[in-house]
Amino acid sequence: MTRRPMERIGDLLPEAARRLGLEEELRLARATAAWEAILAERVPAAAGLARLVALTGPEATIATSHPIVAQELRLRERELAEALAAALGGSPAIRFRMTVGGG
């Protein structure tokens, strides 16, 4: 009996997600992790205060309960959108939709 070569689980996830019909959930999870890392690196004061809650086509919906955070992210939207697109493998240009509110 021969053993198959080992594979990284990260390499297996896209196919497993496709088979289970979870491609969009996996895409959102990866985008969320990328968003959190980008914020921590580029806008540390906003880290943990702005969440990526949806990614529909080229539109990323960002939610925050802090108007000042939304303003800062809008001012830096181009930089952050380019970084997010690059982190997602060169996705098409991403634009942000900000939602402010909640608690």
Side-chain angles (χ1 to χ4, degrees):
M1 177 183 216
T2 60
R3 294 182 119 186
R4 292 185 353 192
M6 292 180 71
E7 296 181 63
R8 294 174 37 147
I9 193 156
D11 295 338
L12 301 172
L13 281 177
E15 177 61 21
R18 186 189 65 74
R19 287 182 181 185
L20 295 170
L22 300 173
E23 289 172 296
E24 284 305 309
E25 288 83 352
L26 179 60
R27 180 175 182 247
L28 180 59
R30 286 183 168 172
T32 299
W35 172 251
E36 291 170 1
I38 289 165
L39 270 191
E41 177 185 323
R42 297 175 185 240
V43 192
L49 300 177
R51 296 178 301 115
L52 184 125
V53 294
L55 188 60
T56 308
E59 184 176 83
T61 302
I62 309 297
T64 182
S65 59
H66 306 280
I68 193 73
V69 171
Q71 182 179 4
E72 179 66 22
L73 297 180
R74 282 188 188 106
L75 289 171
R76 300 182 66 179
E77 180 174 358
R78 184 177 181 151
E79 168 196 353
L80 296 171
E82 287 174 356
L84 183 58
L88 298 177
S91 294
I94 292 177
R95 65 184 179 276
F96 291 161
R97 179 176 166 268
M98 297 287 174
T99 63
V100 180

